[in-house]
Amino acid sequence: MIVTFPHMGNVYIGGKALMDDLGVDVVVPPLSTDYALEIGTTQSPEFICSPLKINIGNYVQSIQKGADTVLITGSCGPCRFGYYGVMEKEILMDMGYDVDFIIFEAPDGDIGELIRRMQKATNTRNIAKMAKSIWVAQGIIKEADRIERRMLHLEAVEEDKGTIKKIRKQFKNQARLAKGSKGMRELLRDINSKLDKVLIDNEQKPLKIGLIGEIYTLIEPYINLHIEEKLAALGVEVDRSLCVGEWVTEHLVYRPMGLTRDKKIRKAAQPYLDRCIGGHAWETIGYAAHYSQSGYDGIIQLLPFGCMPEIVAESILPTIQKDYKVPIMTLVLDELTGEAGYMTRLEAFVDLIQRKKERRERHEA
Amino acid sequence: MRHRNLFMGIDLGSVSTNILLIDENEEVVEKLYLRTQGKPIKILQEGIKEIHKRLSPEDTILGVGTTGSGRNLASMIVGADVVKNEITAHGVAGLKEREDVRTILEIGGQDSKIIILRDGIIHDFAMNTVCAAGTGSFLDRQAARLDIPIEKFGQMALKSTNSVRIAGRCAVFAESDMIHKQQLGHNSEDIINGLCQAMVRNYLSNVGKGKEIKPPILFQGGVAANVGIKKAFEEALKEEVIIPEHYDVMGSLGVAILAKENWEKSNATDFHGFDLVNVKYEVKSFQCEDCPNQCEVVQFLNNGEIRGRWGDRCGKWSELKNTRENLLA
């Protein structure tokens, strides 16, 4: 068994460490590129959301390197993602790739089945060993998320422009090579200590933008055209509402037990939307209200073209914008990789919130 | 002839390239509207040559601003002091036209935008998402297909007595709908009027959704020349729609004003001078194979020498641009 999994932000960092620790052979697909998208678009239904297309591209590239088993999470939320695993298996079959799929979900709340699937993927019957490794892996993903967040905050105020860009590049290159959780932890420690040494300009008070929306488009830099780096280059401090580490623990640990860690966000969403309508619409609305309450200068929503839950959320956002007077912009992402129009929107948005902030400060002074 | 201090605004768009000069009172002195024709560098050089001819030797250019999707390219060529996105540029120009403007509808070649202003600043904006239906290039195409000069397209819509419903959601659907309606025997005037209404409907539900459209409303961009669209907007919004005198070059007017503001602060300009029309500019691109990102790196050459690179994610190539001064030395 040689496993692979689709890219989704830092998942590969924890995923690789986990499989290395358990002695399972793993192929990490090359980071998502135009080539992966090209494979995906020629083989997937035209109107499917773009994450599925990228997934297919990732799998094919991994299969070409010898992978024969795909790991993917399922979801019970009423969104197409819940059927990704099943559909993707069919698509690969049509392409002539007969690979095994292990879908992490508890069908009809059957936790036993979820555990059996995890045992299969991790190639061990020892539940304690498996649980420990998963715990370690999710810790690594969370730490990687924390580092990413830290880099974003620092990038907006770094004294020597370009320092963070270099560290980020180093991080990405080395993460693919690090062996097991030990190697990965060493790398994370090393990056953290590098970040400790980054000189910051205390004079700068950067604009703050919160990113909300569908999780895959938020997390995967290829699909969101590296929005975080682009905003940082415009001198903006970015906070991303959803991180993959939290998502993994939420969906693999809390939700199957009927629990949630999203209480705060659900409360913030309550005046606008008080139930799950699929995908991440609830979180999108909750974080929009949360960022508005926390003094952010602007909010940007990201969604893959045709994503139903986010379209519903988009129609609620003008009400939040009206209530809090914080500008909100929506960016729809699809196959388009031409960045000119995208940059125009980002620059104009930053211009807008900059002027608003200046005016407010003049008013207060 | 009297000596004039002038500021240049360049809007290098996908469909049109506009060059405009204003004087110190922000009055438009010269303007030029050219078709980009997919050759931005050549057209821009020709345009600047033409503008130069119209000036007297006494005139001085004190500042240059660029906007439009080709703003960075234009900036490399002319040496711009201000490089601004189209939204800010259109907002600035709209405010110059009407201080109290609260809504700007802008439809250009590939983009359509709505800009909401309150108390003299941009409050909110939106641009068309993944589809270019309802923009100038689509109208152009339909005019060509019906063999009607684009300038007369709007006038024809006004002659309609009975509008035909056309699907406006997508350019491809709209075109097949128009062909079907035409085969049923509807006359061109009615079909064109139907198309204008479809475009406005699409604009308002796609670009303008959720926005509070309040008067005064300005209609800018090349498509504002189309009286059929103007009328359809007025019918749909039940408000007067004002078309500024320089509606087709508002972006370049906006950056010219910003260039003037910049000069007032800095008293300096990066303008390369009118000799730039004789320089041979080239753009060459290659795919960097050093990492999985495989970025398409664009190289900008000036008389065969590399003056700038962009398009890479990691900065390996574009950072060389920062040493432009070294390269020039």
Side-chain angles (χ1 to χ4, degrees):
Chain A
M1 183 174 75
I2 302 173
V3 302
T4 189
F5 44 81
H7 270 298
M8 182 159 161
N10 290 326
V11 159
Y12 74 98
I13 292 177
K16 184 171 183 302
L18 170 69
M19 295 304 165
D20 283 349
D21 283 3
L22 293 164
V24 179
D25 289 329
V26 57
V27 174
V28 178
L31 289 177
S32 302
T33 56
D34 290 353
Y35 181 54
L37 180 65
E38 192 59 39
I39 299 171
T41 43
T42 50
Q43 302 297 336
S44 315
E46 184 200 350
F47 271 93
I48 196 70
C49 23
S50 43
L52 184 131
K53 297 177 185 174
I54 306 267
N55 282 178
I56 295 291
N58 288 159
Y59 300 151
V60 170
Q61 286 188 287
S62 284
I63 292 167
Q64 286 165 350
K65 287 187 175 178
D68 57 20
T69 305
V70 171
L71 311 182
I72 185 171
T73 55
S75 136
C76 302
C79 149
R80 285 184 272 198
F81 179 71
Y83 302 103
Y84 265 29
V86 185
M87 269 184 71
E88 288 168 346
K89 186 172 166 59
E90 291 292 325
I91 293 171
L92 290 178
M93 280 289 255
D94 286 347
M95 291 174 76
Y97 298 119
D98 186 7
V99 288
D100 207 6
F101 264 69
I102 303 178
I103 304 170
F104 297 128
E105 65 182 344
D108 298 323
D110 183 354
I111 302 280
E113 175 61 21
L114 173 64
I115 291 172
R116 274 190 295 281
R117 289 180 185 185
M118 284 178 165
Q119 284 172 326
K120 189 177 165 201
T122 51
N123 203 17
T124 173
R125 304 207 66 77
N126 184 338
I127 292 185
K129 184 181 163 195
M130 179 184 85
K132 187 178 161 238
S133 304
I134 290 177
W135 187 253
V136 169
Q138 65 92 26
I140 286 176
I141 299 177
K142 275 189 178 167
E143 183 57 26
D145 285 347
R146 253 197 300 279
I147 285 184
E148 248 186 6
R149 246 189 191 143
R150 223 182 135 195
M151 288 197 279
L152 285 174
H153 289 236
L154 286 170
E155 200 166 11
V157 291
E158 62 186 352
E159 212 168 75
D160 197 4
K161 292 287 165 211
T163 315
I164 295 293
K165 207 170 184 175
K166 284 200 191 94
I167 299 178
R168 184 181 287 127
K169 193 175 155 192
Q170 202 178 8
F171 177 42
K172 285 206 170 151
N173 286 343
Q174 291 179 356
R176 294 178 59 79
L177 305 173
K179 272 268 172 237
S181 56
K182 193 162 165 276
M184 209 61 88
R185 277 210 180 114
E186 266 168 33
L187 173 66
L188 295 171
R189 255 199 307 277
D190 179 45
I191 296 291
N192 257 327
S193 65
K194 281 205 171 73
L195 292 177
D196 289 339
K197 292 186 198 108
V198 173
L199 295 173
I200 57 164
D201 179 358
N202 286 320
E203 291 293 300
Q204 288 199 42
K205 288 197 182 65
L207 293 166
K208 281 162 76 182
I209 289 183
L211 293 182
I212 57 171
E214 188 277 328
I215 188 164
Y216 189 88
T217 28
L218 275 180
I219 284 171
E220 190 52 48
Y222 170 71
I223 201 82
N224 67 35
L225 304 173
H226 299 257
I227 188 171
E228 296 177 339
E229 291 170 38
K230 285 193 167 70
L231 286 171
L234 292 171
V236 175
E237 187 181 322
V238 185
D239 191 78
R240 190 210 295 152
S241 56
L242 303 172
C243 278
V244 76
E246 289 151 19
W247 182 78
V248 168
T249 12
E250 174 81 14
H251 283 263
L252 284 184
V253 183
Y254 286 86
R255 294 272 172 93
M257 294 192 284
L259 300 170
T260 179
R261 298 174 77 191
D262 286 343
K263 279 215 178 90
K264 184 181 76 181
I265 290 311
R266 290 182 179 179
K267 194 163 165 253
Q270 208 268 329
Y272 308 98
L273 183 69
D274 66 352
R275 67 199 62 224
C276 178
I277 56 159
H280 285 88
W282 206 358
E283 287 85 349
T284 297
I285 296 301
Y287 275 103
H290 170 73
Y291 284 134
S292 299
Q293 291 160 1
S294 321
Y296 275 72
D297 300 296
I299 297 165
I300 298 178
Q301 182 203 17
L302 299 177
L303 66 136
F305 183 57
C307 173
M308 185 275 287
E310 290 301 321
I311 291 170
V312 177
E314 187 191 355
S315 67
I316 300 174
L317 292 175
T319 317
I320 301 179
Q321 180 167 349
K322 215 169 159 185
D323 286 355
Y324 292 98
K325 308 211 171 8
V326 176
I328 305 177
M329 173 169 74
T330 296
L331 291 174
V332 180
L333 296 145
D334 195 46
E335 273 177 55
L336 299 167
T337 47
E339 298 188 357
Y342 194 71
M343 271 318 285
T344 298
R345 288 160 175 84
L346 290 183
E347 284 179 30
F349 190 70
V350 171
D351 254 9
L352 176 157
I353 59 175
Q354 177 76 45
R355 282 178 186 218
K356 276 201 163 184
K357 192 181 183 187
E358 280 165 10
R359 171 172 288 210
R360 202 175 52 235
E361 281 169 357
R362 268 204 310 274
H363 231 64
E364 283 162 9
Chain B
M1 198 174 165
R2 193 169 62 85
H3 167 87
R4 292 182 299 183
N5 285 330
L6 303 174
F7 300 92
M8 192 191 292
I10 297 168
D11 182 348
L12 186 55
S14 52
V15 174
S16 71
T17 298
N18 313 320
I19 307 172
L20 171 139
L21 290 173
I22 56 168
D23 62 16
E24 285 168 302
N25 301 319
E26 297 184 5
E27 292 301 323
V28 177
V29 175
E30 290 291 347
K31 69 170 180 179
L32 202 58
Y33 182 98
L34 301 165
R35 296 256 156 177
T36 310
Q37 298 170 330
K39 293 172 285 202
I41 299 176
K42 189 168 160 264
I43 296 295
L44 180 59
Q45 279 183 301
E46 281 172 10
I48 290 190
K49 203 170 173 179
E50 172 63 29
I51 283 279
H52 190 204
K53 272 191 212 154
R54 297 187 192 174
L55 296 180
S56 83
E58 308 290 311
D59 296 329
T60 332
I61 305 288
L62 291 185
V64 184
T66 61
T67 186
S69 47
R71 59 186 177 279
N72 290 315
L73 183 66
S75 158
M76 292 292 296
I77 294 172
V78 297
D81 307 301
V82 179
V83 183
K84 266 288 164 208
N85 61 81
E86 301 94 292
I87 304 214
T88 309
H90 273 278
V92 169
L95 284 166
K96 151 92 179 133
E97 179 75 21
R98 285 278 306 241
E99 253 176 47
D100 58 345
V101 60
R102 289 202 286 179
T103 309
I104 296 173
L105 315 171
E106 199 270 342
I107 307 185
Q110 288 287 345
D111 281 331
S112 46
K113 328 175 178 68
I114 186 165
I115 308 172
I116 305 289
L117 302 100
R118 296 288 181 263
D119 309 318
I121 61 166
I122 297 176
H123 175 80
D124 196 8
F125 69 87
M127 277 174 89
N128 55 335
T129 49
V130 279
C131 176
T135 55
S137 40
F138 175 59
L139 275 180
D140 259 2
R141 195 180 135 68
Q142 295 312 318
R145 195 175 63 81
L146 297 169
D147 200 21
I148 297 165
I150 185 76
E151 298 77 23
K152 298 208 176 114
F153 208 67
Q155 289 294 345
M156 294 234 354
L158 295 188
K159 287 186 199 142
S160 156
T161 47
N162 179 26
S163 82
V164 175
R165 195 188 152 89
I166 304 287
R169 168 58 61 216
C170 157
V172 179
F173 293 166
E175 179 164 329
S176 50
D177 215 15
M178 282 173 73
I179 291 169
H180 290 160
K181 295 281 154 78
Q182 185 185 305
Q183 311 298 53
L184 282 175
H186 291 287
N187 65 42
S188 295
E189 286 85 354
D190 291 346
I191 291 175
I192 293 172
N193 190 30
L195 177 66
C196 291
Q197 288 169 347
M199 276 184 56
V200 165
R201 208 165 47 234
N202 182 29
Y203 176 94
L204 293 176
S205 61
N206 176 7
V207 185
K209 81 183 141 196
K211 307 275 181 250
E212 268 189 329
I213 300 177
K214 289 187 175 172
I217 303 168
L218 293 180
F219 183 15
Q220 307 180 169
V223 174
N226 188 316
V227 283
I229 303 274
K230 174 183 186 269
K231 183 170 151 258
F233 264 126
E234 289 183 329
E235 280 169 5
L237 295 170
K238 298 186 178 60
E239 292 284 355
E240 190 201 353
V241 170
I242 306 160
I243 301 191
E245 186 191 345
H246 304 293
Y247 66 90
D248 54 344
V249 291
M250 291 300 265
S252 43
L253 174 60
V255 276
I257 295 172
L258 291 172
K260 178 180 162 264
E261 286 174 5
N262 177 66
W263 185 82
E264 280 160 3
K265 271 184 244 164
S266 69
N267 269 305
T269 180
D270 285 338
F271 181 48
H272 294 166
F274 285 105
D275 286 343
L276 70 91
V277 297
N278 301 318
V279 177
K280 190 166 167 272
Y281 296 103
E282 271 179 294
V283 171
K284 286 183 181 167
S285 69
F286 66 93
Q287 198 166 34
C288 174
E289 304 277 349
D290 292 1
C291 84
N293 277 337
Q294 305 201 344
C295 303
E296 176 126 341
V297 183
V298 179
Q299 301 192 96
F300 185 79
L301 290 87
N302 179 338
N303 281 342
E305 253 177 82
I306 294 172
R307 287 297 159 90
R309 293 188 178 95
W310 59 84
D312 51 337
R313 292 247 153 70
C314 67
K316 188 170 105 186
W317 300 100
S318 55
E319 270 160 25
L320 296 172
K321 188 176 75 177
N322 298 336
T323 62
R324 185 160 57 119
E325 290 71 26
N326 302 341
L327 282 167
L328 285 168

